[in-house]
Amino acid sequence: MSSLRPGDITDEMVQAMDTAKRQGLQKDPRALAANIRADAEGRYDSAEPGWRAGVEWTLLWIENTAAQLTEGRP
């Protein structure tokens, strides 16, 4: 096994690791939003308007947070 030396890790490698990390962080909130949406479907008809608005606001917040994790990144 060889050891790393200064210069072995390129800027492109660092960018690729950063992109992979951000995409991984983005995946979990989007999965959470999908699960909430699936659980809430079919319940809207009998739910109070405030409950529905709360679910919609929560989903929007989660999706916006996920989008900000990769905003301005390649």
Side-chain angles (χ1 to χ4, degrees):
M1 182 174 194
S2 65
S3 61
L4 290 174
R5 296 171 297 210
D8 285 348
I9 299 176
T10 65
D11 289 340
E12 291 82 19
M13 294 168 82
V14 171
Q15 286 178 335
M17 289 186 317
D18 184 50
T19 299
K21 180 174 72 172
R22 289 179 176 278
Q23 287 173 344
L25 290 172
Q26 188 181 47
K27 181 181 174 184
D28 289 338
R30 289 210 166 126
L32 174 62
N35 288 339
I36 291 170
R37 181 173 282 114
D39 286 344
E41 284 179 3
R43 298 180 187 189
Y44 281 157
D45 296 336
S46 62
E48 296 178 21
W51 183 86
R52 181 176 182 164
V55 170
E56 292 296 332
W57 182 90
T58 301
L59 292 172
L60 182 62
W61 183 85
I62 292 170
E63 290 166 356
N64 284 339
T65 300
Q68 289 174 6
L69 291 171
T70 55
E71 190 173 281
R73 300 286 179 154

